[in-house]
Amino acid sequence: MNKQTLINCYQQIKPFVHRTPVLTSHLINDIVGADLFFKCENFQKMGAFKMRGATNAIIQLNKEQKSKGVVTHSSGNFAQALSLAAKSLGIKAYIVMPNSAPQVKVDAVIGYGGVVTHCESTLEARENAASQISQKSGATFIHPSNDLDVIIGNSTACLELLEDVADLDYIFTPVGGGGLIAGTALAAHYFGKNCKVIGGEPFEADDAYRSLISGKIETNKTANTIADGLRTQLGDINFPIIQKHVERIIRVQEHEIIDAMRLIYERLKIVIEPSSAVALAAVLKEKEQFKNKKIGVILSGGNIDLSKLPF
Amino acid sequence: MNKQTLINCYQQIKPFVHRTPVLTSHLINDIVGADLFFKCENFQKMGAFKMRGATNAIIQLNKEQKSKGVVTHSSGNFAQALSLAAKSLGIKAYIVMPNSAPQVKVDAVIGYGGVVTHCESTLEARENAASQISQKSGATFIHPSNDLDVIIGNSTACLELLEDVADLDYIFTPVGGGGLIAGTALAAHYFGKNCKVIGGEPFEADDAYRSLISGKIETNKTANTIADGLRTQLGDINFPIIQKHVERIIRVQEHEIIDAMRLIYERLKIVIEPSSAVALAAVLKEKEQFKNKKIGVILSGGNIDLSKLPF
């Protein structure tokens, strides 16, 4: 993989994704003491950056693979992303969803044309169900975050951001499964001008923070965070990229996530999901370190149950 | 006043206001059966279209008037708008606010440099306080909606929208004091291609609807609507413009306002105040009438207490 791989990916997925806007707020800049540029993936198709990775993963399949479809297990944004990307590209998507998944998410997947299979809520049950579907149908399994083509697809949000604001000193992303920050770090490496990538991660699910310290993939015993998209684990494909290209990870408390989320609703006037707020919470947490810098912040998505807002 | 008046106004206020984006949603289009274009004044400076009218009203003052400042009475967006516009143009703004105004709004006005005077909550007390300030300081009184320069300033949101989407069949706005719909109707008249303007108004404060039928300015005995920006009355300057240039007004129920508001949060992923949702609620109410049309919807503002969302 090299710079050209990312450029090729961007050209290929372009017709199927939105180029999302970059927003700014004088007031948030004043609070931080730096210039912040928010890349609004909440405005992406189906409401999250995951559309980019899902689209690229499907495009990179060969003709025979495409004819047999794709399969994943997810109760979150990747289920919707893979369903919609598959629909856009005219192939079949099988989605394994735990019985515990909210009906609204199941309906969204079905709305995008995904074929849903329900299973128990354990990771083992999900993996078994996906594996069975794959064996039976020949569908290719696509992991939501630990897949190189997904990571490269995700990199295009940062690529666009650097096209709009070329001289960013830092880019912050939330860290969950690691697919967004790994892609962002690749794009910052190839297209930034000494642009450092920093992750924001909840204390309640800080596997990536601990993994960077120990040098091996650590797990979360619990993941009791409002940032529901970040309850997942790093994988063996994205972790080496993160080790090589991510500057560091800043952990944040739950109340800091909620405060950052509220600031974005009140000042940017946009709807984001809690996971998206973790990146700004990380900037705010150590704002003294970033005085007068130019900082990109990737807002990962906007899919939230509005009846469960924390304010 | 003619077409050139609006063009001149736009050129003059341009440096002091944002050109706001126009957003679309496939899903909302599918629901309505038409193509909708949302003009996002929630992203305007201080969070509402009122910034446009306030800025123009100040710009049109002569040098001596400017030296003595401006005064208004408002507990809502116009208080903030006049304060910020005055600050941008280097003049003084006196704002009369009722004792009942939330502290957060008072703080916002003070934050923008407005000089706040508190008074009782009645209209009479407000008008008296504003009148006294005007006499004492020589400040020019600017009415939030019943002022021709305010109306012309407000027209620039529609002017921009028609620059972006020239062939709109309809433009919907909420109707409160009448300053937004009057300005919109002027811009649609001068710059649209047979573009009709329709107002959305809550049943709970339907003075404009009744005024158009009776041919004289009607009042609201109560105004018990969630759309707090629309609890105000038409005035003698905007009413004749509305009579001449507005097609009609569609009234909506409170639950329809809330449903439209939720649709905008969920699908456009943006934060709006309840008054903004009234325009979409009106489109939805009579959607059969607007099949396959191109419809502009002006989202008037995004200043809302997030702890009081109706969902």
Side-chain angles (χ1 to χ4, degrees):
Chain A
M1 186 191 38
N2 57 32
K3 191 172 178 171
Q4 195 59 42
T5 315
L6 274 60
I7 293 170
N8 291 347
C9 160
Y10 186 49
Q11 292 306 326
Q12 289 179 295
I13 71 167
K14 234 178 181 176
F16 305 101
V17 300
H18 289 317
R19 183 179 184 111
T20 53
V22 175
L23 297 183
T24 59
S25 159
H26 281 300
L27 187 125
I28 296 178
N29 288 349
D30 288 347
I31 291 172
V32 177
D35 287 330
L36 271 63
F37 299 87
F38 294 92
K39 177 67 171 169
C40 294
E41 289 294 295
N42 57 322
F43 293 145
Q44 187 51 262
K45 286 192 183 178
M46 55 64 54
F49 76 93
K50 301 253 178 190
M51 187 62 190
R52 298 175 183 270
T55 303
N56 190 50
I58 292 175
I59 285 176
Q60 301 311 323
L61 297 177
N62 64 36
K63 204 173 166 185
E64 197 199 331
Q65 288 172 316
K66 280 179 186 158
S67 74
K68 292 178 179 170
V70 288
V71 56
T72 196
H73 55 80
S74 163
S75 63
N77 284 327
F78 196 73
Q80 294 180 51
L82 197 68
S83 303
L84 180 56
K87 188 183 177 188
S88 309
L89 290 152
I91 78 164
K92 207 160 183 177
Y94 302 91
I95 313 292
V96 175
M97 300 185 83
N99 291 326
S100 58
Q103 191 59 38
V104 59
K105 295 202 171 182
V106 176
D107 290 345
V109 167
I110 293 169
Y112 290 135
V115 180
V116 173
T117 301
H118 294 280
C119 73
E120 296 298 310
S121 288
T122 64
L123 182 60
E124 199 188 350
R126 292 191 197 194
E127 286 177 346
N128 281 343
S131 168
Q132 278 175 26
I133 291 169
S134 180
Q135 280 168 29
K136 207 170 151 186
S137 64
T140 303
F141 178 74
I142 314 271
H143 191 280
S145 55
N146 198 40
D147 177 298
L148 193 57
D149 290 322
V150 168
I151 293 167
I152 291 169
N154 294 344
S155 78
T156 59
C158 175
L159 191 157
E160 286 178 359
L161 176 56
L162 286 166
E163 277 184 358
D164 286 350
V165 192
D167 54 347
L168 291 174
D169 299 302
Y170 295 94
I171 297 179
F172 281 69
T173 79
V175 184
L180 175 60
I181 195 163
T184 302
L186 288 176
H189 172 69
Y190 288 123
F191 300 100
K193 294 169 182 165
N194 193 27
C195 172
K196 298 181 181 71
V197 172
I198 296 179
E201 194 174 37
F203 271 99
E204 295 290 336
D206 65 349
D207 56 302
Y209 175 86
R210 289 181 285 109
S211 300
L212 277 186
I213 289 172
S214 73
K216 62 185 177 60
I217 296 176
E218 303 286 345
T219 57
N220 299 310
K221 285 204 182 81
T222 61
N224 191 21
T225 174
I226 188 177
D228 53 337
L230 310 186
R231 293 175 190 151
T232 46
Q233 303 279 157
L234 292 189
D236 59 349
I237 295 173
N238 55 50
F239 182 51
I241 299 172
I242 294 169
Q243 279 184 303
K244 192 168 175 189
H245 294 297
V246 170
E247 175 90 353
R248 66 192 174 104
I249 288 173
I250 296 172
R251 292 177 298 171
V252 294
Q253 306 282 359
E254 294 299 296
H255 68 89
E256 293 167 330
I257 298 171
I258 294 170
D259 288 349
M261 187 174 165
R262 184 166 191 139
L263 200 56
I264 288 168
Y265 274 63
E266 287 185 340
R267 296 300 161 172
L268 292 181
K269 309 288 185 199
I270 60 173
V271 171
I272 57 163
E273 55 194 70
S275 304
S276 292
V278 173
L280 176 59
V283 178
L284 289 166
K285 181 102 184 184
E286 299 198 7
K287 63 181 184 179
E288 299 307 326
Q289 314 267 344
F290 306 112
K291 283 269 169 272
N292 302 317
K293 297 295 183 187
K294 291 183 84 167
I295 301 172
V297 175
I298 298 190
L299 298 177
S300 48
N303 292 331
I304 183 170
D305 181 346
L306 291 169
S307 59
K308 291 182 182 163
L309 283 176
F311 34 75
Chain B
M1 185 190 39
N2 56 32
K3 190 173 178 171
Q4 195 59 43
T5 315
L6 274 59
I7 294 170
N8 292 346
C9 161
Y10 186 51
Q11 292 306 324
Q12 289 178 295
I13 71 168
K14 234 178 183 176
F16 305 101
V17 301
H18 289 315
R19 183 181 184 108
T20 53
V22 176
L23 296 185
T24 59
S25 158
H26 282 299
L27 188 125
I28 296 178
N29 288 349
D30 287 347
I31 291 172
V32 177
D35 287 329
L36 272 63
F37 300 87
F38 294 92
K39 177 69 172 167
C40 294
E41 289 294 294
N42 57 323
F43 292 145
Q44 187 50 265
K45 285 191 183 179
M46 57 60 57
F49 76 92
K50 301 253 176 189
M51 186 64 191
R52 298 176 183 269
T55 302
N56 191 49
I58 292 176
I59 284 176
Q60 302 310 324
L61 298 177
N62 65 35
K63 204 173 167 185
E64 197 199 331
Q65 287 172 317
K66 280 180 187 157
S67 74
K68 291 178 179 169
V70 287
V71 57
T72 197
H73 55 81
S74 163
S75 62
N77 284 327
F78 195 73
Q80 295 179 50
L82 197 69
S83 303
L84 180 56
K87 187 184 177 188
S88 309
L89 290 153
I91 79 164
K92 208 160 181 176
Y94 302 92
I95 313 292
V96 176
M97 300 186 83
N99 292 326
S100 58
Q103 190 59 39
V104 59
K105 295 202 171 183
V106 178
D107 290 345
V109 168
I110 293 170
Y112 289 137
V115 180
V116 174
T117 302
H118 293 282
C119 74
E120 295 299 311
S121 287
T122 65
L123 182 60
E124 198 189 350
R126 291 192 198 192
E127 287 177 345
N128 281 343
S131 170
Q132 279 175 25
I133 291 169
S134 180
Q135 281 167 29
K136 205 171 152 186
S137 64
T140 303
F141 178 73
I142 314 272
H143 191 280
S145 56
N146 197 40
D147 177 297
L148 194 57
D149 291 322
V150 168
I151 292 166
I152 292 169
N154 294 345
S155 77
T156 59
C158 175
L159 191 156
E160 286 179 359
L161 176 56
L162 286 167
E163 278 184 357
D164 286 350
V165 192
D167 55 346
L168 292 174
D169 300 301
Y170 295 94
I171 297 180
F172 281 70
T173 80
V175 184
L180 175 59
I181 195 164
T184 302
L186 289 176
H189 173 69
Y190 288 122
F191 301 101
K193 296 171 183 163
N194 193 25
C195 173
K196 299 181 181 71
V197 171
I198 296 179
E201 194 174 37
F203 272 99
E204 295 290 336
D206 65 349
D207 56 302
Y209 175 86
R210 289 182 284 110
S211 301
L212 277 186
I213 289 171
S214 73
K216 62 185 177 60
I217 296 176
E218 304 286 345
T219 58
N220 299 311
K221 286 207 180 79
T222 59
N224 191 21
T225 173
I226 188 176
D228 52 337
L230 310 185
R231 292 175 191 152
T232 47
Q233 303 276 157
L234 292 189
D236 60 349
I237 295 173
N238 55 50
F239 181 50
I241 300 172
I242 293 168
Q243 279 184 302
K244 193 167 175 190
H245 294 296
V246 170
E247 175 90 354
R248 64 189 176 107
I249 287 173
I250 296 173
R251 291 177 300 171
V252 294
Q253 306 282 0
E254 294 299 296
H255 69 90
E256 293 168 330
I257 299 171
I258 294 170
D259 287 349
M261 187 172 166
R262 184 167 191 141
L263 200 56
I264 288 168
Y265 274 64
E266 287 185 341
R267 296 301 164 171
L268 291 181
K269 308 289 184 196
I270 60 174
V271 171
I272 57 163
E273 55 195 69
S275 305
S276 294
V278 173
L280 176 59
V283 178
L284 289 166
K285 180 103 181 181
E286 299 198 8
K287 63 180 184 179
E288 299 307 325
Q289 313 268 345
F290 307 112
K291 284 272 170 267
N292 302 317
K293 299 295 182 187
K294 291 182 84 167
I295 303 172
V297 176
I298 299 190
L299 298 177
S300 48
N303 293 330
I304 184 171
D305 181 345
L306 290 170
S307 58
K308 291 181 182 161
L309 283 177
F311 34 74

